[in-house]
Every structure is written in C-alpha cells, then in structure tokens.
Amino acid sequence: MDISKYKIDHNSDLKLSGIKTDQTGQFDSKEDAEKKLVENVQRMTEIQSKLYAQDKYAVLIIFQAMDTAGKDGAIKHVMSGLNPQGTHVHSFKQPSVEELDHDYLWRATKNLPERGLIGIFNRSYYEDVLVVRVHDLIKNQQIPDEFITENIWKDRFRQIRDYERYLFENGIVTIKFFLHISKETQKERLLDRIDDKAKNWKFSAADLTERQYWDDYQRYYQDAINETSTKQAPWYVIPADKKWFARLMISEVIVKTMESLNLEYPTISKQQEEVLKGCKQKLMESKS
Ligand code: ATP
Ligand code: MG
C-alpha cells in the first residue's frame, strides 16, 4: 500500500478541499481491509516488543479531527493488539487552571511517552492553533501582550516545528494524523447519535455549535498541516468517511514508520554471554 499518497510535504500548498474524504484506495470491500488490519496489528505488536526491549526510541502518535471523525474508534482498533503496558493514551481537553498557568506545550511534555513506549495523543497541542484560533481564545492564555501580535500563529507553527524537531533528535518519533471527513458525513453521524439510543451518550450539543465553524476549522487545519508537516514529524491526511479504510491506513503508516527505525532486540557482549553460561551451569548443578 502506498502511504506516500497521504503524506503531506512541508509547505506543499495542501488544499483539504482537494482531498476526497470517501477514498478507499485499492480496497473494494471492508472484509479485505479488515484482514489486512489484523496483519498490521500483529506486525505492530512484534515491533512494539523490540521498541520496548531496545529502550531508546519512543513513538508519539497524534490524532486530530473534527468531531465524529472517528478518533476514538481508530485508537481502539489500531491499538487493540498492543501490549497495554507499552502504550499510553492521553486526551487533551479544555485546559485546566493549572494548565493555563503554563506555556501551551507544558501539558504535552508532561504526557510524552517514555523510551520504549508508544504514546497516543487524542487531540494535542495542535488545539492551540485550531480551536484557540477559531474562537480567539489566545487572550485567555495569560501570554504577555507583547507576544500577542498578528504573527502569533506563524510564531506558534515555528515553535511547534522546533519542538517536534527537538523530540525527533531525542529519539521521540512523531506521527500525526488528520482524519478527514466531509461535512455531510458528520451530519449523518450526528443524526445517528441522536436516533440510535445506544449512541445517545456520544452526542454532545456542543458538537453542533462547533459544526457552525466548519469552514474556519478546515482553513486553520489546512494552514497548520502545511506549516508543520516536516520530515521529522510528517502529517498524514487520512480519508475517513469509511472508518474501515481510515483504520487500515493508520495502521499501515504506523507499521511503515516503525519498520523504518530498523529496531532489533539488543544483543549481549561475549563477556555477558559467559556470565549467562556460568549462571546456567550453577542452576543445572543446584539440587532443586
Ligand atoms: P469525544 O467527544 O469523542 O469524547 P473529544 O476529543 O471531542 O472526544 P471533548 O471532551 O468532547 O473530547 O472535547 C474536548 C474539547 O476540548 C474539544 O472541543 C477541544 O477543541 C477542546 N480543547 C482542547 N484543547 C484546547 C485548548 N488548548 N483550548 C481550548 N479548547 C481546547
Ligand atoms: Mg467531543
């Protein structure tokens, strides 16, 4: 599968409206895609165990999307086979008083995966160039006035690029997904949440309010993705009208990225081998 089709280059002049949300690649059926997803999850499990054993790299996977795009389901399905001890999911909500008392990257840093682990951000510091921009919340962020200029978003994009580069150079590999749905699909899914009793709990009236800002969100997502997709931390725009296709592509990108790290189990030195042999000998000779 060709993941490069969904990868965005830095300053590539991406137009979100030009990316069809209902693509399914070479897959005609959900069944074929689900089979491949199972294979990918298996592969991810193998690589995860090497990641853990090697204890040098960490993988940070960021999910951003409009409401109902399927972040939660994607996280659940794609991560289903992984060792729960090796993964950590953090959801970014409206910042708390304590969080607002810090710079906007503070809460991200606090929740970064440690070496050997896979960390998942359900939303992220990208909210600070998305919802904050849509609703002009910057004045709530306690930043000194002199830094709130017309360049603030450009400045933040640079800060984010620098931050992600710093992470990369310290062994934290960042993969960023934007789950791309159409406005029509969102309408269908919201209606479904109202009509289906079992899904009522997922419906939030606030999602309807945010929906009114659809065009602003699309514009600012486009800007953020263009500005912060880099070699060290690329963005993938995943067509997500068909959830099964989105889940498969996400798993494919994660597998390919982790494979590119060429992880291997640590080997031991001759000296350590001798120590192991000695221990074995002792165990064999012991009475019980
Ligand atoms: P779901 O609705 O599926 O449970 P969700 O990610 O939408 O998942 P919510 O609790 O509904 O979770 O929403 C979290 C809200 O917090 C979002 O509307 C998001 O935009 C908002 N948010 C996140 N970070 C910030 C921020 N830095 N400033 C303001 N709002 C933020
Ligand atoms: Mg929500």
Side-chain angles (χ1 to χ4, degrees):
M1 266 178 281
D2 185 13
I3 56 166
S4 64
K5 218 176 137 198
Y6 306 100
K7 189 176 182 178
I8 309 302
D9 294 326
H10 183 51
N11 280 330
S12 64
D13 204 19
L14 159 81
K15 293 272 179 292
L16 277 179
S17 58
I19 299 184
K20 277 169 68 69
T21 51
D22 59 356
Q23 294 178 51
T24 55
Q26 82 254 43
F27 288 87
D28 304 321
S29 83
K30 186 174 170 175
E31 286 67 36
D32 288 350
E34 280 175 349
K35 264 188 226 147
K36 181 80 185 126
L37 174 61
V38 171
E39 278 172 39
N40 277 351
V41 169
Q42 174 61 34
R43 182 81 191 106
M44 240 187 276
T45 313
E46 289 159 17
I47 315 177
Q48 180 193 24
S49 128
K50 290 182 183 169
L51 181 80
Y52 185 80
Q54 207 189 51
D55 207 16
K56 289 193 173 167
Y57 287 104
V59 176
L60 172 64
I61 305 171
I62 294 182
F63 286 94
Q64 286 286 158
M66 300 296 288
D67 291 306
T68 76
K71 285 182 283 112
D72 289 3
I75 293 171
K76 198 163 107 194
H77 279 80
V78 173
M79 301 300 151
S80 58
L82 297 179
N83 178 354
Q85 282 189 323
T87 54
H88 174 70
V89 184
H90 183 77
S91 296
F92 287 72
K93 307 285 184 187
Q94 286 182 14
S96 65
V97 172
E98 187 192 21
E99 285 168 348
L100 280 175
D101 236 349
H102 290 83
D103 60 282
Y104 70 98
L105 292 171
W106 178 76
R107 63 177 179 164
T109 302
K110 247 177 53 162
N111 289 289
L112 286 175
E114 52 191 85
R115 295 186 200 287
L117 302 198
I118 299 177
I120 297 160
F121 282 179
N122 183 349
R123 301 187 189 269
S124 63
Y125 44 85
Y126 280 98
E127 292 294 323
D128 292 280
V129 290
L130 293 164
V131 65
V132 173
R133 194 172 180 186
V134 170
H135 293 294
D136 195 19
L137 302 174
I138 199 82
K139 46 191 182 304
N140 302 346
Q141 294 203 335
Q142 295 172 233
I143 301 165
D145 291 345
E146 60 178 302
F147 297 114
I148 305 183
T149 70
E150 59 186 17
N151 291 327
I152 183 117
W153 309 114
K154 283 262 175 221
D155 291 344
R156 285 203 162 180
F157 293 141
R158 173 181 42 75
Q159 290 155 13
I160 290 174
R161 284 196 303 269
D162 288 349
Y163 181 65
E164 290 175 347
R165 189 191 174 106
Y166 164 83
L167 296 182
F168 179 79
E169 290 175 354
N170 283 280
I172 299 168
V173 178
T174 308
I175 312 171
K176 303 177 292 196
F177 293 111
F178 172 61
L179 307 191
H180 188 31
I181 55 167
S182 68
K183 199 173 178 190
E184 188 53 34
T185 296
Q186 190 191 54
K187 182 176 172 181
E188 283 164 20
R189 292 187 186 168
L190 286 171
L191 283 173
D192 198 37
R193 288 181 181 185
I194 295 173
D195 292 338
D196 183 345
K197 285 240 165 323
K199 291 185 186 164
N200 281 174
W201 64 274
K202 282 198 205 174
F203 182 80
S204 155
D207 294 351
L208 274 195
T209 318
E210 288 318 291
R211 183 175 159 78
Q212 294 172 0
Y213 298 92
W214 182 275
D215 292 344
D216 287 346
Y217 272 110
Q218 297 291 307
R219 194 165 60 245
Y220 295 147
Y221 260 114
Q222 189 171 288
D223 200 18
I225 294 170
N226 270 320
E227 290 264 3
T228 61
S229 206
T230 59
K231 206 159 153 268
Q232 295 85 9
W235 272 105
Y236 291 86
V237 173
I238 305 288
D241 279 354
K242 294 274 181 287
K243 287 179 179 170
W244 54 266
F245 179 71
R247 289 167 191 170
L248 175 61
M249 284 320 299
I250 290 164
S251 70
E252 190 71 20
V253 170
I254 299 172
V255 165
K256 294 258 162 70
T257 308
M258 290 181 73
E259 276 177 346
S260 74
L261 300 176
N262 295 317
L263 299 170
E264 288 303 337
Y265 289 110
T267 49
I268 56 172
S269 65
K270 276 264 163 290
Q271 208 178 4
Q272 288 165 314
E273 239 173 65
E274 289 307 315
V275 174
L276 283 189
K277 265 192 212 156
C279 291
K280 184 172 176 184
Q281 186 77 26
K282 271 192 200 145
L283 278 171
M284 306 275 276
E285 286 164 4
S286 69
K287 286 213 171 64
S288 52

Short mmCIF file of all heavy atoms in Angstrom, two decimals, residues 67 71-72 92-95 107 122-124 127-128 131-132 137 141 193 202 204 207 210 217, ligand 1:
data_model
loop_
_atom_site.label_atom_id
_atom_site.label_comp_id
_atom_site.label_asym_id
_atom_site.label_seq_id
_atom_site.Cartn_x
_atom_site.Cartn_y
_atom_site.Cartn_z
N ASP A 67 -15.18 16.70 15.10
CA ASP A 67 -15.98 15.77 15.90
C ASP A 67 -16.60 14.71 15.00
O ASP A 67 -16.97 15.00 13.86
CB ASP A 67 -17.09 16.53 16.63
CG ASP A 67 -16.53 17.43 17.72
OD1 ASP A 67 -15.79 16.93 18.57
OD2 ASP A 67 -16.83 18.64 17.71
N LYS A 71 -11.82 9.37 15.86
CA LYS A 71 -10.53 9.26 16.58
C LYS A 71 -10.57 8.12 17.59
O LYS A 71 -9.67 7.28 17.61
CB LYS A 71 -10.24 10.55 17.37
CG LYS A 71 -9.80 11.73 16.55
CD LYS A 71 -9.48 12.92 17.46
CE LYS A 71 -10.69 13.63 17.99
NZ LYS A 71 -11.01 13.57 19.37
N ASP A 72 -11.62 8.11 18.40
CA ASP A 72 -11.68 7.11 19.48
C ASP A 72 -11.68 5.69 18.92
O ASP A 72 -10.95 4.82 19.40
CB ASP A 72 -12.94 7.31 20.33
CG ASP A 72 -12.84 8.55 21.19
OD1 ASP A 72 -11.83 9.27 21.06
OD2 ASP A 72 -13.77 8.81 21.97
N PHE A 92 -6.56 15.43 25.24
CA PHE A 92 -6.41 16.86 25.53
C PHE A 92 -7.79 17.53 25.51
O PHE A 92 -8.42 17.60 24.47
CB PHE A 92 -5.50 17.52 24.50
CG PHE A 92 -4.06 17.15 24.68
CD1 PHE A 92 -3.61 15.88 24.36
CD2 PHE A 92 -3.14 18.07 25.18
CE1 PHE A 92 -2.28 15.53 24.54
CE2 PHE A 92 -1.82 17.74 25.35
CZ PHE A 92 -1.38 16.46 25.03
N LYS A 93 -8.21 17.98 26.67
CA LYS A 93 -9.50 18.66 26.81
C LYS A 93 -9.23 20.16 26.94
O LYS A 93 -8.09 20.61 26.85
CB LYS A 93 -10.21 18.15 28.07
CG LYS A 93 -10.35 16.64 28.12
CD LYS A 93 -11.42 16.16 27.18
CE LYS A 93 -11.62 14.67 27.29
NZ LYS A 93 -12.53 14.14 26.28
N GLN A 94 -10.30 20.90 27.28
CA GLN A 94 -10.08 22.33 27.54
C GLN A 94 -9.08 22.44 28.68
O GLN A 94 -9.20 21.72 29.65
CB GLN A 94 -11.38 22.99 27.94
CG GLN A 94 -12.30 23.17 26.76
CD GLN A 94 -13.59 23.86 27.12
OE1 GLN A 94 -13.71 24.44 28.20
NE2 GLN A 94 -14.54 23.79 26.24
N PRO A 95 -8.10 23.34 28.56
CA PRO A 95 -7.06 23.40 29.59
C PRO A 95 -7.60 23.76 30.98
O PRO A 95 -8.53 24.57 31.08
CB PRO A 95 -6.11 24.49 29.08
CG PRO A 95 -6.68 25.01 27.83
CD PRO A 95 -7.91 24.27 27.47
N ARG A 107 1.71 20.80 29.01
CA ARG A 107 0.92 19.59 29.28
C ARG A 107 1.24 18.46 28.28
O ARG A 107 1.03 17.30 28.57
CB ARG A 107 -0.57 19.89 29.33
CG ARG A 107 -1.19 20.41 28.05
CD ARG A 107 -2.69 20.60 28.24
NE ARG A 107 -3.34 21.10 27.04
CZ ARG A 107 -4.65 21.05 26.86
NH1 ARG A 107 -5.43 20.54 27.78
NH2 ARG A 107 -5.19 21.53 25.76
N ASN A 122 -4.84 11.98 21.93
CA ASN A 122 -6.17 12.17 21.38
C ASN A 122 -6.45 13.68 21.46
O ASN A 122 -6.78 14.18 22.51
CB ASN A 122 -7.15 11.35 22.21
CG ASN A 122 -8.55 11.41 21.67
OD1 ASN A 122 -8.85 12.22 20.78
ND2 ASN A 122 -9.42 10.58 22.19
N ARG A 123 -6.27 14.39 20.36
CA ARG A 123 -6.07 15.84 20.30
C ARG A 123 -4.69 16.13 20.91
O ARG A 123 -4.06 15.22 21.45
CB ARG A 123 -7.16 16.65 21.00
CG ARG A 123 -8.56 16.39 20.43
CD ARG A 123 -9.56 17.36 21.06
NE ARG A 123 -10.92 17.02 20.70
CZ ARG A 123 -11.56 17.52 19.64
NH1 ARG A 123 -10.93 18.35 18.84
NH2 ARG A 123 -12.80 17.18 19.38
N SER A 124 -4.28 17.38 20.86
CA SER A 124 -2.89 17.66 21.23
C SER A 124 -2.67 19.17 21.34
O SER A 124 -3.64 19.93 21.33
CB SER A 124 -1.98 17.13 20.12
OG SER A 124 -2.28 17.85 18.92
N GLU A 127 -4.45 21.86 19.16
CA GLU A 127 -5.66 22.62 19.52
C GLU A 127 -5.32 24.09 19.75
O GLU A 127 -6.17 24.96 19.58
CB GLU A 127 -6.30 22.03 20.79
CG GLU A 127 -6.88 20.63 20.61
CD GLU A 127 -8.08 20.59 19.67
OE1 GLU A 127 -8.89 21.53 19.69
OE2 GLU A 127 -8.20 19.61 18.91
N ASP A 128 -4.07 24.34 20.11
CA ASP A 128 -3.66 25.72 20.40
C ASP A 128 -3.41 26.55 19.15
O ASP A 128 -3.12 27.74 19.23
CB ASP A 128 -2.43 25.70 21.32
CG ASP A 128 -2.82 25.19 22.69
OD1 ASP A 128 -3.38 25.96 23.47
OD2 ASP A 128 -2.61 23.97 22.94
N VAL A 131 -8.69 25.30 17.72
CA VAL A 131 -9.85 25.84 18.45
C VAL A 131 -9.53 27.24 19.02
O VAL A 131 -10.37 28.14 19.00
CB VAL A 131 -10.33 24.85 19.55
CG1 VAL A 131 -9.30 24.68 20.64
CG2 VAL A 131 -11.64 25.30 20.16
N VAL A 132 -8.30 27.41 19.46
CA VAL A 132 -7.90 28.69 20.05
C VAL A 132 -7.94 29.80 18.98
O VAL A 132 -8.32 30.95 19.25
CB VAL A 132 -6.49 28.57 20.67
CG1 VAL A 132 -5.97 29.93 21.13
CG2 VAL A 132 -6.52 27.59 21.84
N LEU A 137 -9.23 32.48 21.46
CA LEU A 137 -9.05 32.23 22.90
C LEU A 137 -7.66 32.62 23.40
O LEU A 137 -7.33 32.42 24.55
CB LEU A 137 -9.28 30.74 23.21
CG LEU A 137 -10.64 30.17 22.81
CD1 LEU A 137 -10.69 28.65 23.03
CD2 LEU A 137 -11.74 30.85 23.61
N GLN A 141 -4.96 32.96 27.47
CA GLN A 141 -3.80 32.10 27.73
C GLN A 141 -2.69 32.76 28.56
O GLN A 141 -1.59 32.22 28.66
CB GLN A 141 -3.27 31.53 26.41
CG GLN A 141 -4.28 30.58 25.76
CD GLN A 141 -3.66 29.60 24.79
OE1 GLN A 141 -2.59 29.83 24.23
NE2 GLN A 141 -4.32 28.46 24.59
N ARG A 193 -26.22 9.49 16.12
CA ARG A 193 -26.05 9.53 17.58
C ARG A 193 -27.35 9.97 18.28
O ARG A 193 -27.54 9.65 19.45
CB ARG A 193 -24.91 10.50 17.95
CG ARG A 193 -23.56 9.94 17.60
CD ARG A 193 -22.42 10.86 17.98
NE ARG A 193 -21.15 10.26 17.58
CZ ARG A 193 -19.95 10.76 17.86
NH1 ARG A 193 -19.86 11.89 18.52
NH2 ARG A 193 -18.86 10.13 17.48
N LYS A 202 -22.99 9.52 23.22
CA LYS A 202 -21.88 10.14 22.47
C LYS A 202 -22.25 11.51 21.94
O LYS A 202 -21.40 12.26 21.49
CB LYS A 202 -21.56 9.26 21.24
CG LYS A 202 -20.74 8.04 21.52
CD LYS A 202 -20.15 7.58 20.20
CE LYS A 202 -19.84 6.13 20.17
NZ LYS A 202 -19.40 5.69 18.85
N SER A 204 -23.16 15.30 21.77
CA SER A 204 -22.97 16.48 22.60
C SER A 204 -23.48 17.69 21.80
O SER A 204 -23.09 17.89 20.64
CB SER A 204 -21.48 16.63 22.92
OG SER A 204 -21.19 17.97 23.19
N ASP A 207 -21.12 19.85 19.94
CA ASP A 207 -20.61 19.48 18.62
C ASP A 207 -21.36 20.26 17.52
O ASP A 207 -20.79 20.59 16.49
CB ASP A 207 -20.75 17.97 18.36
CG ASP A 207 -19.86 17.15 19.29
OD1 ASP A 207 -19.03 17.75 19.99
OD2 ASP A 207 -19.99 15.91 19.30
N GLU A 210 -19.84 23.72 17.31
CA GLU A 210 -18.56 23.70 16.59
C GLU A 210 -18.76 23.52 15.09
O GLU A 210 -18.02 24.04 14.28
CB GLU A 210 -17.64 22.61 17.14
CG GLU A 210 -17.06 22.87 18.50
CD GLU A 210 -16.58 24.29 18.70
OE1 GLU A 210 -15.58 24.68 18.07
OE2 GLU A 210 -17.20 25.04 19.48
N TYR A 217 -12.49 25.91 10.74
CA TYR A 217 -11.65 24.77 11.15
C TYR A 217 -10.88 24.20 9.97
O TYR A 217 -9.68 23.94 10.06
CB TYR A 217 -12.50 23.67 11.80
CG TYR A 217 -12.68 23.85 13.29
CD1 TYR A 217 -13.92 24.20 13.82
CD2 TYR A 217 -11.63 23.67 14.17
CE1 TYR A 217 -14.10 24.37 15.18
CE2 TYR A 217 -11.80 23.83 15.54
CZ TYR A 217 -13.04 24.19 16.05
OH TYR A 217 -13.20 24.35 17.40
P1 ATP B 1 -15.29 12.87 22.29
O1 ATP B 1 -16.28 13.95 22.05
O2 ATP B 1 -15.27 11.83 21.21
O3 ATP B 1 -15.33 12.29 23.66
P2 ATP B 1 -13.33 14.96 22.15
O4 ATP B 1 -11.87 14.92 21.84
O5 ATP B 1 -14.20 15.78 21.24
O6 ATP B 1 -13.82 13.47 22.19
P3 ATP B 1 -14.47 16.50 24.24
O7 ATP B 1 -14.36 16.42 25.72
O8 ATP B 1 -15.80 16.44 23.58
O9 ATP B 1 -13.49 15.41 23.64
O10 ATP B 1 -13.80 17.84 23.72
C1 ATP B 1 -12.64 18.36 24.17
C2 ATP B 1 -12.70 19.80 23.77
O11 ATP B 1 -11.60 20.48 24.33
C3 ATP B 1 -12.65 20.00 22.26
O12 ATP B 1 -13.71 20.77 21.83
C4 ATP B 1 -11.34 20.72 22.06
O13 ATP B 1 -11.37 21.62 20.99
C5 ATP B 1 -11.18 21.42 23.39
N1 ATP B 1 -9.77 21.79 23.64
C6 ATP B 1 -8.68 21.02 23.61
N2 ATP B 1 -7.56 21.74 23.82
C7 ATP B 1 -7.96 23.02 23.97
C8 ATP B 1 -7.28 24.24 24.20
N3 ATP B 1 -5.95 24.31 24.31
N4 ATP B 1 -8.02 25.36 24.32
C9 ATP B 1 -9.37 25.31 24.22
N5 ATP B 1 -10.07 24.20 24.00
C10 ATP B 1 -9.39 23.06 23.87
#
